[in-house]
Amino acid sequence: MPGLLGSRKDLEKSLSIDSIKIHSILMRQVAPFVLRRLKKDVAKELPPKIEAELPCRLNQEQLNTYRKLTEEGILKHGTDFKEAIKNSPTHLFSLLTRLRQTCCDLSLLPGFPKGGPTGIKSEILLQKIHDLESSNSKAIVFSQFTSYLNILENDIRKEFTDIKLLKLTGATRDRDKPVDEFQNTPKPAIMLASLKAAGLGITLTAADYVFIMDPWWNPAIEEQAIDRAHRIGREKPTFIYRLIAQGTIEERVRQLQRDKKETFKQIIGDMDKPTQLSKHFSDLKDLIKYQEIS
């Protein structure tokens, strides 16, 4: 229905003046076209999902690399984020990806040796796996970076011999095989899964824990992935852990997720599609700059 919400220019102007009032108007305008059924209403027997953030302090080598990348990025692109996107979007988003990879493991970056010192997130994950091994539990470990899943696979295999380790990425040809093994094995098990490849079309209700190793810009993608475990058929609570590197772009991603979810909650009640980053951040330095943690 073209014109239902007016022009984009007028809508953006109205939102900048009184966003709360405009959200209320938008809700009334879109309500006749929306039919929603919440999981809590149609699956009341479903146990709760319990979510927590695990703050991660980067090790010194990660900190040094992060600082170097941010300083080079700001020197090259300046601090005007909208202008930087306009002039060199490919290079800018490449920088953001490198920063996010630095938060995970330095060996993901070009020029760093493979199999080097483990990133702090890997160490935290291994500690958590020790706990779940003793309770004979199962877990899904999600990451956007399949190369990071390979690193985690090597780390887990070195540390644990009795845990069933499975993998599900875009390169997995027979998706049913690892899913069936994960669901049916009596042993403690870990499923290493690509956030997008494993985010739809599978059921992993045997998982007691879900680890999000690196936050994604769109919270709906993460929610879809989490719902592979937290769905009808689950009989016990599901524990969700998000590993967030302190003082880095990952905290900004989480801020963006919350902003998006809150905006959509005010209009519809759920988050469906991503919004341009430049609508949320005007200063590149604010988005990526490392801040010293006391």
Side-chain angles (χ1 to χ4, degrees):
M1 296 183 64
L4 175 65
L5 305 181
S7 70
R8 175 169 178 167
K9 182 178 180 180
D10 290 340
L11 179 60
E12 290 180 346
K13 182 178 179 181
S14 299
L15 285 169
S16 66
I17 296 173
D18 190 346
S19 62
I20 296 176
K21 180 180 179 180
I22 297 304
H23 287 159
S24 177
I25 294 173
L26 290 176
M27 177 179 285
R28 293 198 299 271
Q29 286 179 297
V30 303
F33 309 98
V34 177
L35 176 63
R36 295 185 67 240
R37 290 185 178 90
L38 299 180
K39 190 193 309 184
K40 65 181 180 180
D41 297 327
V42 299
K44 296 182 178 180
E45 75 282 4
L46 189 62
K49 59 181 177 181
I50 301 168
E51 304 190 37
E53 287 191 10
L54 296 178
C56 308
R57 294 178 64 93
L58 301 184
N59 61 39
Q60 193 59 50
E61 190 174 6
Q62 285 177 300
L63 287 175
N64 293 339
T65 302
Y66 195 95
R67 288 195 189 100
K68 181 180 178 181
L69 287 172
T70 56
E71 289 167 2
E72 290 176 349
I74 291 170
L75 183 63
K76 181 176 182 178
H77 299 288
T79 59
D80 190 324
F81 190 41
K82 293 184 180 180
E83 193 67 22
I85 288 181
K86 178 181 177 181
N87 294 332
S88 52
T90 302
H91 292 122
L92 182 61
F93 282 104
S94 176
L95 169 63
L96 299 184
T97 299
R98 295 304 181 208
L99 291 172
R100 294 176 62 238
Q101 290 174 325
T102 300
C103 294
C104 294
D105 196 292
L106 290 178
S107 60
L108 296 173
L109 301 177
F112 279 83
K114 307 301 179 185
T118 303
I120 188 62
K121 287 189 177 184
S122 301
E123 296 178 12
I124 293 175
L125 177 63
L126 292 177
Q127 292 173 4
K128 289 293 182 183
I129 292 177
H130 272 293
D131 297 336
L132 70 89
E133 182 187 33
S134 62
S135 61
N136 203 41
S137 300
K138 298 180 182 180
I140 312 172
V141 179
F142 284 112
S143 175
Q144 181 210 347
F145 306 110
T146 55
S147 51
Y148 186 38
L149 294 177
N150 294 336
I151 293 171
L152 295 175
E153 181 180 15
N154 291 331
D155 291 343
I156 294 171
R157 289 195 187 281
K158 289 178 184 177
E159 189 86 10
F160 305 93
T161 56
D162 294 332
I163 286 184
K164 184 77 173 178
L165 190 57
L166 301 157
K167 208 170 187 182
L168 189 58
T169 68
T172 305
R173 292 185 177 274
D174 185 359
R175 287 157 55 93
D176 290 339
K177 184 177 179 181
V179 170
D180 290 342
E181 287 189 51
F182 182 83
Q183 288 287 93
N184 298 316
T185 180
K187 299 171 59 176
I190 304 291
M191 173 71 81
L192 299 172
S194 166
L195 191 62
K196 292 185 178 179
L200 290 170
I202 60 172
T203 296
L204 296 167
T205 50
D208 303 290
Y209 298 89
V210 176
F211 295 92
I212 306 291
M213 299 301 293
D214 40 275
W216 182 235
W217 303 104
N218 187 345
I221 298 296
E222 285 188 8
E223 293 301 324
Q224 286 177 342
I226 291 169
D227 283 347
R228 300 310 95 206
H230 187 252
R231 58 195 298 124
I232 294 175
R234 181 70 188 161
E235 298 179 353
K236 296 186 294 184
T238 306
F239 295 89
I240 318 298
Y241 292 106
R242 289 183 170 87
L243 282 74
I244 307 297
Q246 293 177 290
T248 71
I249 189 172
E250 291 194 342
E251 289 188 338
R252 310 303 194 272
V253 174
R254 284 295 287 154
Q255 173 192 331
L256 180 62
Q257 288 181 347
R258 296 186 189 100
D259 291 346
K260 285 184 175 185
K261 293 177 77 171
E262 181 59 29
T263 298
F264 231 79
K265 181 180 178 182
Q266 292 172 2
I267 298 174
I268 294 179
D270 197 3
M271 181 62 221
D272 185 36
K273 294 183 179 180
T275 309
Q276 293 179 353
L277 288 177
S278 59
K279 299 300 179 184
H280 297 265
F281 299 98
S282 60
D283 191 325
L284 177 62
K285 185 176 180 180
D286 179 56
L287 173 60
I288 69 174
K289 182 68 173 177
Y290 169 77
Q291 297 179 352
E292 194 68 48
I293 303 170
S294 59

